[in-house]
């Protein structure tokens, strides 16, 4: 069955359907990336249920507490209740946290708790603990600071520059999981004498703080642009936007941009001239070899998959239209993109819409309940696509996880080849993914 | 639940109770929220969601709509959806933000009904109360309304029952309701309607033709009492748990079907003639604590008593009715209270949701009885039906 809104070619505002496959890491899990931190949610009990159950699944619940609000708290304000709860929390926790995020939910945006005052009071009472005010407020989804932007701001604003001479290291920001350690990106930087850091691999708050002394922040998603801009302004931390891309030319251009940035901030040794940035031969060699591997992986996957239809979604790829372009241009039978939203200014979206017959399906539109399980033989990349299409062959990845650069293409092709080897128990996969809306 | 809570997850909220009770109806349900509340329900409170097609939606509430009180935007989205979805009924369900800004959910529903001619119901749920209140709200505002608007005479059909108060928030994927239906049918009793599976408005009016209502959770009591008052249909609370107690419970149902008055089969003194004096045994300290939904817990208690003669205390969460409580039973309103009672020296054995184990300070015998309102799908692997089976 076709979907009217797709025929209309736009995403009209509608009631939103929530597939069982819908969700992501959620505020709790992202905030938990901060080592030695604890979270306390101050909200009606209902607001915390999905986050708490998700945290139990992830083994994080011992770092998550709740202060449930009653109607009377909403009417009279709850600043004092927060102070009392934090005091009790610090008494009862066996290990004192280095960081506490006090989360509020949507309703706080309407009653206007003075968060600066609350943070100042808590910092004054407990100077050995860093406090942040978190907002689990999807009601702000359309604003300039939606929840994802807000939580990344909380996380990375804990980085602190304390030295004049920065360390030869870069921080990867905005991706939930560190890129694969076999990636040529890590090898290239290692060859240049630069270490690569990701918050997932840290053990202590001090290590996170110390990331502020690294030379460059590399932004993988737009959700971290705000905090990166703030860090640049307030602490002189340089940044470079370098999102995941599967287009070979774009990857090559991305490396060139990286080298230029490293040269600009004095991290490329003595091989910089005004005319041209000279890259060590070994680095060139790594990149050429990696590109060849990627091309070979594409050929192999194409041979094994043949003309099988491929459906992708926004949960698997941060930029699903760009990913679709990669599949299309490399001869794969990409048929559907399940998207949550689209940006008319996105060139890849326009290309898909105007130059291809790939169907764009708004995954949250109300009539999605009428259209599923019609494509069991297809391959789905992403759980939303899998659920609606009914694909037996599924690649369960979330937001390009681990994939970056040429090696990212190799990983993606490996996932494709592996997924056709067996039928998936989608309900089991979804449950194990521990998604939180 | 009051104040600081460090171990347990929040329990299923009132709006999940509404959505769960409405799930079987041919209803377009809209949870008026930004996304998280709907995610609670679809992700963790609705065991039937996977592969279902129930049109339950999120309104996609945004701050500007809340500030401007733009109810028309919600109404327009519903009208747009009605181009594709053809329900018998529409429900608009509240959440914390509508509570704060004072959205008139019932007024919005009235406006929708006026414009569409389709029955529409508003639920002023808040996310502060718990699921039994939501389920009871559906029974009162939907089921009672449909019954009241129907002019046909109630004609009792012998040996027939309805099952009231059954939602997966209490029973999860245990198969309890399916096995209860089978148990009744095997014993010559026809289940007319269960407010659990797909039902049309025309099915709801059939409820009044049953000879008896079986109430399987606290949330079903109010409807049962209404139907007793309006249609003279008696009711029996509880479930036929355990090998021996299943027969005792069945005998109670049969008595009611043949003309006896309602049996609150788990209330103090109600079963004295068949179970002996629970009340007397309660005077001696019980060593077993059953923690969970009150009607189910009472049935487990009766089953244990029937098997072993041992008495248990019951502690309830989320919903409570003192009429169904023994002297030492208690309603718990905070994690601290739950922690305190679980660790009381007098209890050697606890029966309850597996997540309660994390509140125990010392090793105690713990019999797992998952409660979906607590552990959701995390308890799926350990859940089972106790109908006609040895309980623990």
């Amino acid at each position: 069955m076709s979907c009217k809104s797709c025929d209309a070619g736009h995403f009209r505002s509608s009631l939103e359907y929530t597939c069982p496959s819908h969700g992501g890491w959620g505020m709790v899990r992202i905030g938990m990336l901060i080592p030695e931190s604890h979270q306390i949610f101050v909200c009606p009990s209902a607001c915390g249920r999905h986050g708490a159950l998700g945290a139990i699944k992830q083994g994080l619940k011992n770092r998550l507490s709740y202060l449930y609000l009653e109607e009377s708290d909403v009417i009279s304000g709850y600043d004092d209740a927060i102070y009392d709860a934090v005091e009790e929390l610090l008494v009862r926790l066996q290990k004192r946290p280095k960081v506490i995020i006090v989360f509020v939910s949507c309703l706080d945006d309407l009653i206007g708790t003075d968060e600066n005052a609350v943070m100042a009071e808590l910092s004054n009472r407990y100077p050995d603990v860093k406090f942040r005010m978190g907002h689990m407020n999807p009601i702000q989804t359309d604003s300039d600071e939606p929840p994802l932007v807000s939580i990344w701001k909380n996380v990375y604003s804990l980085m602190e520059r304390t030295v004049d001479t920065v360390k030869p290291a870069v921080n990867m920001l905005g991706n939930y999981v560190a890129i694969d350690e076999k990636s040529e990106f890590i090898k290239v930087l290692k060859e240049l004498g630069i270490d690569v850091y990701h918050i997932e691999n840290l053990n202590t708050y001090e290590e996170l703080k110390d990331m502020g002394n690294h030379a460059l922040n590399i932004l993988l998603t737009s959700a971290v642009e705000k905090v990166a801009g703030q860090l640049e302004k307030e602490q002189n931390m340089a940044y470079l936007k370098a999102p995941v891309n599967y287009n070979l030319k774009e990857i090559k251009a991305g490396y060139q941009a990286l080298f230029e940035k490293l040269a600009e901030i004095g991290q490329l040794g003595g091989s910089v001239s005004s005319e041209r940035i000279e890259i060590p031969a070994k680095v060139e060699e790594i990149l050429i070899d990696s590109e060849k591997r990627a091309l070979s992986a594409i050929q192999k996957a194409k041979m094994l998959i043949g003309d099988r239809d491929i459906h992708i979604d926004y949960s698997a790829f941060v930029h699903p239209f760009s990913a679709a372009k990669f599949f299309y241009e490399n001869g794969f039978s990409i048929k559907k993109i399940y998207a949550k939203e689209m940006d008319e200014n996105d060139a890849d979206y326009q290309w898909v819409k105007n130059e291809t017959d790939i169907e764009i399906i708004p995954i949250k539109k109300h009539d999605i309940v009428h259209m599923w399980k019609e494509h069991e033989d297809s391959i789905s990349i992403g759980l939303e696509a899998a659920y609606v299409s009914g694909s037996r062959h599924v690649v369960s990845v979330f937001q390009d996880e681990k994939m970056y650069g040429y090696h990212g293409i190799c990983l993606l092709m490996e996932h494709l080849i592996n997924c056709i080897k067996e039928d998936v128990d989608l309900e089991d996969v979804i449950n194990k993914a521990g998604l939180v809306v | 639940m009051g104040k600081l809570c460090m171990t347990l997850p929040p329990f299923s909220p009132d709006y999940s109770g509404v959505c769960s009770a409405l799930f079987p109806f041919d209803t377009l349900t809209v949870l008026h929220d930004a996304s998280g509340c709907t995610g609670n329900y679809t992700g963790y409170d609705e065991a039937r969601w996977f592969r279902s097609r129930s049109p339950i939606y999120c309104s996609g509430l945004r701050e500007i709509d809340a500030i401007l009180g733009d109810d028309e935007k919600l109404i327009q989205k519903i009208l747009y959806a009605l181009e594709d979805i053809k329900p018998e009924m529409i429900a608009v369900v509240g959440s914390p933000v509508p509570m704060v800004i004072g959205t008139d959910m019932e007024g919005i529903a009235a406006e929708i009904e006026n414009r569409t001619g389709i029955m529409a119901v508003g639920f002023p749920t808040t996310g502060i109360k718990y699921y039994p209140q939501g389920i009871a709200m559906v029974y009162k505002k939907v089921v009672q309304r449909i019954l009241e608007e129907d002019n046909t005479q109630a004609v009792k059909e012998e040996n027939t029952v309805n099952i009231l108060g059954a939602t997966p928030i209490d029973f999860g994927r245990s198969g309890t309701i399916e096995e209860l239906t089978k148990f009744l049918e095997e014993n010559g009793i026809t289940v007319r309607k269960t407010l659990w599976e797909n039902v049309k408005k025309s099915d709801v009016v059939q409820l009044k033709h049953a000879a008896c209502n079986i109430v399987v959770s606290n949330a079903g009591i109010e409807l049962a009492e209404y139907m007793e008052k309006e249609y003279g249909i008696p009711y029996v609370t509880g479930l036929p748990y355990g090998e021996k107690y299943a027969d005792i419970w069945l005998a109670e149902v049969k008595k009611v079907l043949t003309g006896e008055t309602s049996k609150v089969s788990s209330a103090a003194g109600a079963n004295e003639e068949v179970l002996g004096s629970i009340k007397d045994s309660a005077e001696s300290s019980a060593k077993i604590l059953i923690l969970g939904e009150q009607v189910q817990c009472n049935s487990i208690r009766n089953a244990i008593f029937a098997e072993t003669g041992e008495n248990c205390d019951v502690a309830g969460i989320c919903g409570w009715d003192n009429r169904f409580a023994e002297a030492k039973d208690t309603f718990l309103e905070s994690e601290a209270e739950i922690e305190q009672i679980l660790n009381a020296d007098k209890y050697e054995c606890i029966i309850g949701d597996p997540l309660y184990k994390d509140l125990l300070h010392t090793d105690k015998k713990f019999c797992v009885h998952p409660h979906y309102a607590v552990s959701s799908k995390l308890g799926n692997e350990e859940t089972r039906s106790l109908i006609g089976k040895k309980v623990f």
Side-chain angles (χ1 to χ4, degrees), chain A residues 1 4-5 10 12-22 38 40 44-54 56-57 61-62 64-71 73-74 81 85 88-89 92-93 105-107 109-111 137-143 364-373 386-388 390 426-427 430-431 434-437, chain B residues 1-15 28-30 34-40 42-45 47 49-64 66-67 73-74 76-78 80-85 96-97 99-101 126-130 173 335-336 339 355 371-378 380:
Chain A
M1 171 164 182
K4 275 195 212 166
S5 64
H10 62 267
R12 180 175 164 184
S13 176
S14 74
L15 296 178
E16 296 171 359
Y17 189 71
T18 306
C19 292
S21 47
H22 181 59
H38 195 96
I40 176 164
S45 62
C47 303
R49 180 157 168 80
H50 51 337
L53 287 161
I56 292 170
K57 269 188 178 178
K61 182 66 182 70
N62 61 342
L64 175 64
S65 301
Y66 291 89
L67 172 64
Y68 298 144
L69 298 177
E70 304 290 340
E71 285 178 59
D73 299 315
V74 175
E88 185 182 345
L89 187 67
R92 288 174 59 186
L93 284 174
S105 64
C106 294
L107 65 79
D109 290 11
L110 298 158
I111 62 176
N137 54 351
I139 198 169
Q140 295 284 1
T141 298
D142 298 339
S143 75
K364 298 188 83 175
K365 190 169 170 272
H366 62 258
D367 62 357
I368 205 82
V369 292
H370 291 322
M371 44 181 309
W372 71 30
K373 272 201 107 177
Y387 182 77
V388 180
L426 188 60
E427 189 170 8
I430 289 172
N431 281 338
L435 306 172
V436 172
V437 174
Chain B
M1 282 296 124
K3 304 308 170 188
L4 192 65
C5 186
M6 293 176 64
T7 304
L8 297 173
F11 302 149
S12 297
D14 52 2
Y15 55 69
L28 187 153
T29 303
V30 183
S35 80
C37 303
T38 307
N40 266 336
T42 60
Y44 290 103
D45 288 336
W49 195 242
F50 198 88
R51 297 284 184 230
S52 77
R53 291 182 181 226
S54 196
I56 299 177
Y57 298 104
C58 168
S59 68
L61 181 63
R62 295 292 173 263
E63 188 184 38
I64 189 68
I67 290 169
K73 193 169 176 182
L74 169 63
Q76 286 303 322
K77 283 184 181 179
I78 290 171
Y80 178 37
L82 288 174
E83 292 176 15
D84 298 296
I85 314 281
V97 167
M99 170 195 70
V100 168
I101 61 173
T126 62
I128 284 176
K129 297 186 172 69
Y130 293 101
R173 287 180 163 187
E335 184 176 287
E339 188 169 8
L355 294 185
H371 188 179
Y372 211 79
V374 179
S375 59
S376 179
K377 55 187 86 168
L378 302 180
N380 273 353

